[in-house]
Amino acid sequence: MKHFMRLLTQLFLFLSCKYLRQGRKFLVRKLTGRCELQRICYNNKSGAHRTLKIESSLKFSKSELLQSAVIVHPDSVEKTIDDIMTLKKIDPDINPQLGISLQASLLQIVGYHKLMAEVEKLRREPYDCNNPEHEEMLVKLWKALRPESPLTGRISKQWMEIGFQGSDPKTDFRGMGLLGLHSLLYFAEHDQAAALQVLHDSLQPKHRYSFAIVGINITDLAYTLLVNGALKTHLYNVAPEIPNMVHFQQTFSYLMQEFHRFWTEEDPCDIMEFNRVRNKFYKRILTQLKDPDMVLCPHFTASDLHLITL
């Protein structure tokens, strides 16, 4: 009986919220002469503030056109905007900025879904030692992190110098597939000074840890943030239009450096405390991403991503 009453209460609350929201939307439109999408675009600055609200409005709309707008192909965004303007009876000549703002936000929304698919594809692709491209990437990683030390062989204990567990790194990529290798290589090549410093520090006795293994673990952390939607705040603030793989890799590079600093600050007794420190770090990042103004790596925004206002 208690279970039934609980379900009945939850259903009542759901229906109440749903119809109250619809009633409020109808009343506000009558008072302002603007639909919800117009109010969001005109009352919120570009980036996560605007795009998160537009995404929510589209998802919870009664219209199938608006619901499906969040998963259209990027090439169909322009037509989708025209269809939305027609559905809402909005004259684009009178409201030119609305179409521009909607398009920018919708590109971010559908781009996020596209990025998740690309990341997932890499994560599911296993490392193949018979694939020349995979092998070339692995060698490039060594050269970027150990530029002064020639690799004596493909199977070598030298790999442990950059934080792999044994003589053949391929076994360490099982959890994250090629995504782990892509992330490590991007960090090593595009932020080499920081990567070399983090590697150097990770080899010191006081705060020692396995650089490559931790990098694969932080790849998993970045992947989790992407899949559960927490990264939307950051990516909607740094990607003017479509978030792409470079944005994800830059985010990984930032997280790798921040985790290293966090690990040092926590001053763990040994590597056995890794899970505790990682979980604490993950919760801190989640808290930061609840702020709609949050940008995890502001130096990328300024130098590489060219954030613009739409």
Side-chain angles (χ1 to χ4, degrees):
M1 186 66 180
K2 287 184 178 180
H3 180 65
F4 173 76
M5 292 302 297
R6 189 182 303 114
L7 289 176
L8 193 63
T9 302
Q10 291 174 346
L11 178 62
F12 175 77
L13 290 174
F14 170 76
L15 293 174
S16 297
C17 292
K18 178 181 179 181
Y19 289 109
L20 279 173
R21 182 176 183 273
Q22 293 176 356
R24 178 181 174 277
K25 285 173 61 178
F26 176 80
L27 180 61
V28 174
R29 175 156 192 171
K30 288 296 182 182
L31 291 173
T32 64
R34 293 176 174 177
C35 70
E36 185 175 53
L37 289 175
Q38 286 176 297
R39 297 194 300 273
I40 292 172
C41 287
Y42 292 144
N43 298 333
N44 295 274
K45 63 183 180 179
S46 61
H49 275 272
R50 180 193 296 162
T51 301
L52 287 171
K53 290 180 180 179
I54 287 177
E55 187 172 18
S56 177
S57 177
L58 294 172
K59 282 183 177 179
F60 291 102
S61 171
K62 293 186 296 181
S63 165
E64 291 185 7
L65 169 65
L66 268 61
Q67 291 176 10
S68 63
V70 299
I71 55 172
V72 299
H73 190 277
D75 293 341
S76 301
V77 165
E78 191 171 342
K79 182 183 182 303
T80 301
I81 297 298
D82 291 340
D83 292 341
I84 290 175
M85 301 282 272
T86 300
L87 177 68
K88 293 294 184 179
K89 298 181 174 61
I90 300 172
D91 188 338
D93 294 327
I94 299 176
N95 301 272
Q97 187 60 37
L98 177 64
I100 296 173
S101 298
L102 275 177
Q103 183 170 340
S105 288
L106 197 53
L107 282 171
Q108 289 182 320
I109 294 167
V110 301
Y112 193 94
H113 288 280
K114 184 172 181 288
L115 175 59
M116 281 201 299
E118 292 173 357
V119 167
E120 183 64 24
K121 182 180 179 181
L122 279 177
R123 188 187 73 86
R124 289 179 176 272
E125 184 174 358
Y127 183 91
D128 182 2
C129 58
N130 294 315
N131 187 318
E133 293 182 3
H134 295 188
E135 290 286 282
E136 183 182 1
M137 288 177 62
L138 190 58
V139 172
K140 282 183 177 180
L141 178 64
W142 173 267
K143 290 180 178 179
L145 294 175
R146 278 286 185 261
E148 306 299 327
S149 302
L151 191 62
T152 58
R154 168 61 181 79
I155 307 297
S156 169
K157 289 185 177 181
Q158 284 179 285
W159 292 110
M160 299 174 69
E161 296 176 19
I162 60 174
F164 286 103
Q165 294 185 96
S167 301
D168 190 352
K170 75 172 185 179
T171 59
D172 293 328
F173 292 117
R174 283 173 296 191
M176 283 286 105
L178 277 190
L179 184 62
L181 178 55
H182 273 266
S183 298
L184 284 168
L185 182 58
Y186 183 91
F187 182 36
E189 289 188 334
H190 290 82
D191 212 345
Q192 189 176 34
L196 290 174
Q197 184 63 56
V198 172
L199 174 60
H200 173 270
D201 293 347
S202 73
L203 295 171
Q204 306 309 306
K206 182 171 175 57
H207 297 121
R208 189 180 183 88
Y209 61 81
S210 299
F211 175 89
I213 297 300
V214 168
I216 294 170
N217 201 289
I218 296 301
T219 301
D220 177 68
L221 187 150
Y223 167 79
T224 301
L225 292 171
L226 180 73
V227 172
N228 68 20
L231 267 188
K232 287 180 179 180
T233 303
H234 165 68
L235 291 177
Y236 290 166
N237 282 329
V238 299
E241 292 186 346
I242 299 179
N244 56 46
M245 187 61 70
V246 172
H247 295 109
F248 179 80
Q249 291 170 328
Q250 289 175 337
T251 301
F252 164 79
S253 297
Y254 168 83
L255 291 172
M256 191 68 177
Q257 294 174 70
E258 284 300 296
F259 178 79
H260 174 68
R261 281 191 280 269
F262 190 74
W263 175 264
T264 303
E265 291 169 3
E266 285 291 300
D267 194 21
C269 295
D270 53 42
I271 195 63
M272 298 304 292
E273 290 196 69
F274 177 78
N275 286 337
R276 177 190 68 79
V277 177
R278 181 196 184 277
N279 290 338
K280 189 174 180 180
F281 176 72
Y282 176 70
K283 290 177 181 178
R284 189 180 76 166
I285 296 297
L286 276 179
T287 299
Q288 292 175 346
L289 289 170
K290 290 178 181 179
D291 179 358
D293 289 316
M294 186 62 192
V295 175
L296 290 178
C297 34
H299 62 289
F300 288 133
T301 305
S303 63
D304 297 329
L305 302 181
H306 310 296
L307 183 62
I308 57 176
T309 301
L310 292 172

